[in-house]
């Protein structure tokens, strides 16, 4: 396993947090209520904070003289390895919550496994992030229950979001060749090992929310290989605007 | 006169109910900033139910490490004194200086008083 293997592996983890963090931060000042606005913005900051630890580590591993900012803001679309789920738009609050819950449950299980990595950096990041992600999972899960088992309108919107986003869940468990190399070395995580548990958990919560489980067997994938949906370019142009317009700018 | 008052009351109950349908109920938030101290009133917020009120309180009032424990109570459950009654409620206490423990001579050796 080379440093490049490790760097690519980190992109596969950290880009999820970066892009989802960016997506939720779009809600800053636009949340449905003041309280949910602050809650979502807190989560965006948690996710962004996690990416800093990962990208600082990438900068350390890289043979080039780069910083965490270069890694976060100056890559091209194909170089981002996040799953398609996290780049999906904030269609309405139901989409936001369902996207969050589908990711949070995965994220939690992933970090639990990453805690046992042979890599001390991964162990430390996982340990710190787990407390934040446990809260995210509880927040999004509790909301999903209230939307699903709420009014007729909230139920209909939640069901629509579940149906539309379900096709992006399978990709999270897809192991790329690089993932396999890093997992085999004891640094990475075999995501297939908790796939059944994942579907059992979200199925139980959807049932509790009185929502139907989609029956589709067709799933979207591509993000882990850098092939993104049409939304990704817009996210990046927003996110990268400052660094590209004013290169090397600092706060 | 009586009819008028009943009318007024009915109207305000109806508009309150209507309002409740559109917006979430109000909750009062109490936070204990560290162990050993009491919970203090921090402010209020809106939430659909008690569990969400607790989560909202966590996000709105403790995001800068302000607390170790939170209580929430729905504002409607608080019985408040009526400002119109302030005369009978509070003024009688104003001229009873002897209720303050200020009529004792303190020995010089006692500190922190």
């Amino acid at each position: 396993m080379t440093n490049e293997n490790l760097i690519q592996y980190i992109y596969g983890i950290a880009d999820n947090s970066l892009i989802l963090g960016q997506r939720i931060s779009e809600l800053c000042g636009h949340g449905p209520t003041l309280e949910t606005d602050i809650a979502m913005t807190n989560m965006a900051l948690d996710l962004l904070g996690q990416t800093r630890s990962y990208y600082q580590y990438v900068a350390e591993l890289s043979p080039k003289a780069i910083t965490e900012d270069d890694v976060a803001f100056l890559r091209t679309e194909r170089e981002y390895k996040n799953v398609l789920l996290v780049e999906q738009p904030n269609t309405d609050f139901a989409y936001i919550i369902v996207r969050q819950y589908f990711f949070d449950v995965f994220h939690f299980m992933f970090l639990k496994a990453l805690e046992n990595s042979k890599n001390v950096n991964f162990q430390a990041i996982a340990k710190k992030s787990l407390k934040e992600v446990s809260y995210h999972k509880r927040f999004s899960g509790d909301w999903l229950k209230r939307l699903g088992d709420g009014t007729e309108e909230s139920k209909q919107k939640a069901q629509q979001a579940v149906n539309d986003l379900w096709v992006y869940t399978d990709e999270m468990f897809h192991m790329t060749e690089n993932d396999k190399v890093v997992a085999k070395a004891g640094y990475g995580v075999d995501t297939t090992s908790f796939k059944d548990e994942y579907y059992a958990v979200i199925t139980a919560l959807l049932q509790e929310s009185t929502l139907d489980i989609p029956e589709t067997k067709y799933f979207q994938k591509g993000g882990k290989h850098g092939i993104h949906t049409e939304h990704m370019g817009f996210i990046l142009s927003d996110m990268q605007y400052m660094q590209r317009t004013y290169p090397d700018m600092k706060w | 006169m009586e009819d008028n008052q009943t009318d007024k009351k009915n109207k305000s109950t109806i508009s309150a109910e209507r309002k409740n349908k559109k917006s979430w109920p109000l909750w009062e938030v109490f936070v204990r900033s560290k162990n050993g101290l009491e919970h203090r009133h921090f402010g209020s917020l809106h939430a659909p139910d008690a569990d969400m009120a607790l989560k909202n309180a966590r996000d709105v009032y403790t995001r800068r490490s302000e607390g170790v424990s939170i209580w929430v109570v729905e504002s409607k459950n608080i019985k408040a004194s009526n400002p119109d009654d302030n005369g009978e409620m509070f003024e009688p206490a104003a001229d009873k200086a002897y209720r303050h423990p200020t009529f004792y001579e303190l020995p010089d050796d006692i500190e922190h008083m």
Side-chain angles (χ1 to χ4, degrees), chain A:
Chain A
M1 188 185 63
T2 65
N3 275 4
E4 186 53 29
N5 288 130
L6 213 47
I7 289 174
Q8 288 303 321
Y9 190 71
I10 297 171
Y11 289 160
I13 312 172
D15 291 350
N16 289 335
S17 298
L18 180 72
I19 300 302
L20 185 57
Q22 175 71 20
R23 261 290 183 237
I24 321 175
S25 72
E26 290 171 16
L27 289 170
C28 184
H30 302 275
T33 66
L34 180 142
E35 290 83 358
T36 29
D37 189 308
I38 296 182
M40 302 305 291
T41 313
N42 278 350
M43 293 205 284
L45 279 173
D46 285 347
L47 291 169
L48 233 51
Q50 293 167 15
T51 64
R52 291 200 57 195
S53 318
Y54 289 119
Y55 293 152
Q56 280 163 0
Y57 187 33
V58 167
E60 222 177 280
L61 291 167
S62 173
K64 290 175 258 172
I66 53 168
T67 68
E68 52 182 306
D69 283 345
D70 297 317
V71 180
F73 296 120
L74 296 178
R75 278 179 289 152
T76 59
E77 183 174 325
R78 286 288 180 97
E79 292 170 309
Y80 286 87
K81 300 294 157 58
N82 56 283
V83 292
L84 301 178
L85 174 68
V86 297
E87 65 199 47
Q88 297 312 302
N90 299 333
T91 308
D92 58 25
F93 191 60
Y95 271 78
I96 292 165
I97 288 300
V98 171
R99 182 185 63 204
Q100 192 66 35
Y101 182 69
F102 283 175
F103 180 70
D104 288 343
V105 175
F106 168 81
H107 199 190
F108 180 81
M109 291 176 177
F110 182 88
L111 290 171
K112 270 270 174 219
L114 195 67
E115 260 192 321
N116 301 320
S117 165
K118 279 188 197 164
N119 182 300
V120 286
N121 279 317
F122 285 172
Q123 285 172 19
I125 299 172
K127 197 169 170 353
K128 180 175 173 285
S129 309
L130 264 169
K131 281 188 188 150
E132 296 169 344
V133 175
S134 309
Y135 183 77
H136 300 174
K137 180 164 69 94
R138 197 132 61 99
F139 180 89
S140 57
D142 279 359
W143 259 115
L144 186 50
K145 281 186 240 171
R146 281 161 179 78
L147 294 176
D149 198 9
T151 65
E152 210 172 296
E153 186 184 1
S154 72
K155 185 193 178 76
Q156 182 260 320
K157 287 188 169 176
Q159 187 67 59
Q160 186 66 47
V162 166
N163 294 350
D164 287 355
L165 294 170
W166 186 263
V167 294
Y168 299 108
T169 52
D170 185 73
E171 188 194 10
M172 296 188 279
F173 302 94
H174 173 64
M175 294 283 285
T176 64
E177 284 312 309
N178 191 65
D179 288 347
K180 287 178 193 160
V181 171
V182 180
K184 206 173 167 206
Y187 279 39
V189 168
D190 178 8
T191 49
T192 55
S193 67
F194 52 84
K195 185 174 174 178
D196 290 345
E197 192 194 344
Y198 173 86
Y199 280 105
V201 167
I202 63 170
T203 301
L205 191 115
L206 288 176
Q207 278 164 350
E208 202 187 327
S209 314
T210 69
L211 293 167
D212 298 330
I213 319 295
E215 281 168 15
T216 177
K217 293 279 178 283
Y218 175 75
F219 293 101
Q220 293 282 1
K221 58 176 191 290
K224 295 195 79 162
H225 295 283
I227 316 289
H228 294 281
T229 56
E230 68 273 26
H231 309 294
M232 188 66 174
F234 294 100
I235 297 178
L236 292 185
S237 63
D238 253 3
M239 193 180 79
Q240 298 186 334
Y241 168 80
M242 285 299 245
Q243 274 297 324
R244 296 226 184 257
T245 313
Y246 307 101
D248 297 327
M249 77 161 297
K250 298 250 181 298
W251 275 95

Side-chain angles (χ1 to χ4, degrees), chain B residues 25-36:
Chain B
L26 191 68
W27 300 76
E28 300 300 324
V29 179
F30 299 83
V31 176
R32 189 219 297 270
S33 44
K34 56 180 177 186
N35 282 326

